[in-house]
Amino acid sequence: MNNWLMKSEPESFSIDDLKNRPNQCEHWDGVRNYQARNMMRDEMKLGDQVFLYHSNCDELGIVGIMEVVKEGYPDFLAFDPDDSHFDPKSDPAKPTWMMVDVKYVRTLSRTITLHELKQKPELSGLALVRRGNRLSIMPVSKAQWDFILSLEQ
DNA sequence: GCCAACGTTGGC
DNA sequence: GCCAACGTTGGC
């Protein structure tokens, strides 16, 4: 069982958007970064727990928990010329881009802010707090996961 | 295979 | 809106 953190801009997709989806599920489309793709394709497994992080907004931070309910499969939006995530180089017979499905688990009782996370020596190894980090999906160790959750109260 | 130019991410 | 950091592209 692994833990993860995934970023999303709440203006395009927030924890409330996920909560309000039918079945509270959504596919995590639009990832166009090879490192992130590899994690979705190879490492994210059914039942893995995932923090949702809101980026590029007024209150940056971890807002909720999701669960992987479908493992890596082709991101079909890459084949749709009308979609902004269209990638003409992705061949449907050999798809370049992958995605997973996630399900809403819960919203945290408060946002655990980026500012707060950066202050904690326990989290110095977390990719999120490193300067210039642009990965939209990153692993979170069990120790980091538990520590972050302990901040919620 | 190098690396400059370019586009994107994302905090501030 | 700015801009640093980073990934990708493409000429050589």
Side-chain angles (χ1 to χ4, degrees):
Chain A
M1 171 83 70
N2 290 314
N3 293 112
W4 306 93
L5 179 144
M6 303 208 283
K7 297 180 186 172
S8 178
E9 303 190 7
E11 282 202 17
S12 44
F13 191 75
S14 71
I15 188 75
D16 288 334
D17 291 332
L18 180 62
K19 189 179 179 181
N20 294 327
R21 280 286 190 273
N23 299 324
Q24 302 188 319
C25 283
E26 186 58 287
H27 45 263
W28 206 260
D29 59 78
V31 172
R32 298 291 178 265
N33 168 284
Y34 287 102
Q35 246 184 296
R37 187 279 311 270
N38 291 348
M39 286 188 265
M40 291 202 290
R41 185 191 59 192
D42 304 329
E43 296 178 59
M44 297 183 82
K45 298 297 174 194
L46 282 182
D48 281 1
Q49 302 285 112
V50 184
F51 281 134
L52 178 60
Y53 173 86
H54 281 176
S55 67
N56 249 320
C57 60
D58 287 342
E59 197 175 33
L60 301 167
I62 294 170
V63 295
I65 297 176
M66 315 184 287
E67 180 177 325
V68 176
V69 291
K70 182 171 179 178
E71 296 179 5
Y73 65 107
D75 182 341
F76 51 81
L77 289 180
F79 312 135
D80 179 356
D82 295 327
D83 192 89
S84 62
H85 297 295
F86 175 58
D87 179 1
K89 294 196 294 293
S90 183
D91 175 359
K94 206 186 163 207
T96 309
W97 303 114
M98 308 288 280
M99 60 187 177
V100 298
D101 285 358
V102 291
K103 184 179 174 64
Y104 176 83
V105 174
R106 71 181 181 91
T107 303
L108 299 189
S109 60
R110 67 180 188 87
T111 299
I112 301 174
T113 64
L114 177 63
H115 176 77
E116 188 178 352
L117 297 172
K118 281 185 166 173
Q119 314 257 326
K120 307 292 183 188
E122 291 88 342
L123 299 176
S124 60
L126 186 66
L128 183 73
V129 304
R130 285 208 292 271
R131 190 152 157 273
N133 163 67
R134 290 170 51 182
L135 256 191
S136 63
I137 301 177
M138 65 191 74
V140 177
S141 73
K142 184 72 168 74
Q144 290 165 339
W145 178 274
D146 291 340
F147 178 77
I148 291 169
L149 275 184
S150 77
L151 301 172
E152 184 184 5
Q153 310 320 325

